[in-house]
Amino acid sequence: MNARLIRFAAWILAMASSVAAQPAPEPRLPNVTLLATGGTIAGTGTTSTTTVGYKAATLGVDALVAAVPELAKVARVTGEQVFQIASENMTPAHWLQLARRVSELLARDDVNGVVITHGTDTLEETAYFLDLVVKSPKPVVLVGAMRPSTSISADGPMNLYNAVALAASSDAAGRGVMVCLNDQINAARDVTKTDTATLDTFRAPELGLLGVMEAGHPIFYRASTRAHTSATEFDIGAVKELPKVGIVLAYAGSGRLAIDAMIAAGVKGIVHAGTGNGSLAIDAKAALVEARSKGIVVVRASRVPGGAVARNGEADDDALDFVVADNLSPQKARVLLSLALTRTVDTREIQRMFWRY
Ligand code: DGL
C-alpha cells in the first residue's frame, strides 16, 4: 500500500513541477476596433515641415495601424475604413452611419472597445452625438491629430497609441464617449477645439479634463455628471434622417436675415448663438417669435465660449416658449436639439433634456 501511495505522491509532484515550469500564458489582450474616417491624422503633406495646406484623409486605416506597431502591446486591433473625409464634410448622415456601426461592434462579445480616427474640425460634434446614442458602457474614444502624418513630430501616432490604450483599459468603461489627444482625456459633452493650430487644442476650458494618459495608462480625476450612452432616452434605430436644425450667429447688426433664411429652408429647430448671455436683438427676437409660431423650436445659446445661458434672463423664455442651451456651445446644442426632435416637439420636454444631457 505504502509503495502505491509513494508512487502516486511522486506523480503529483512531477505534474506540479511541470506545470510550474511552463511560462504563464500571456494575458489575452482586449479587442479594439479602429474605425477610420479621415482627417489630419490620415493626412499627408509635401514636405516634413508642411503643417498647413496638406491633404487630409489620404492614409488608409491599415497604414495608420502599421505606423504604430506598439498598438499590438496594448490591444488586438482590427481596422475598418468607414469614411475617408476631412471632417468639415461630416454630416448628420455620417453620424447616423457611424453610430450604427459602433453599436453593432460594441454588441459583440469579442469587441472590448472602439477607437474612431476623425478630423479635428468637427470631432467634438461627432463625439457628443455618439455620447448621446451609443447604448453601451464599453469605451468609445475619438482621436485626431493637428499635424499630418508626414510632418516632423507628428502627433498622430502617439495620439492613436493613447486612444487605443484608453479604449483597451477596463477603467475606461462607463465614462461616456471620450476624446483623447495630447495625452489628455476629455468628455465628449465638454470638450471643444480651442485653437486652430496647436497640439493642445482640445480642452474643456471651464469644466476641465477627465484625466490623462501616462505611459499608456489612463489616470482619471473626474467623471461627467450628465447622462450619457446607456442612460439616455435617444434611440436612432428607426431614424432615417435627423431633423434639420440650423445655427444662427448673432453679431452687431446681424438682424433677422439668417433667421428668415432658416425659416424659408424649413428647419425644424434653430439654435441662436446670441451675444452675451444669449441676448436677442429686437429684430432677431421678432424673427424667432415668427419661427416659433411656425412650429420651429428655438434654443437660445451664446457665442460666448464660457458660461451657461440663464433661462428667463435676457429673454422671457416662458412667455416666448423658447429653450435655453445651458452651457452647451451652439454646435453641441444643435446636436442635442436634433436628437430631441426625434422624440418630441414639446419645449418643456426639450428643456428637460438640455438640463439632463
Ligand atoms: N480638414 C480638417 C479636418 O479634417 C483638418 C483638421 C484635422 O483633422 O486636424 O477636420
Side-chain angles (χ1 to χ4, degrees), residues 39-41 54 56 85-88 118-122 145-146 193:
T40 295
I41 194 168
Y54 53 83
I85 60 175
S87 75
E88 60 269 27
H118 195 292
T120 58
D121 287 7
T122 64
M146 292 303 287
K193 186 172 182 178

Side-chain angles (χ1 to χ4, degrees), residues 192-205:
T192 190
K193 186 172 182 178
T194 62
D195 190 283
T196 59
T198 58
L199 305 189
D200 64 347
T201 182
F202 279 97
R203 295 170 175 262

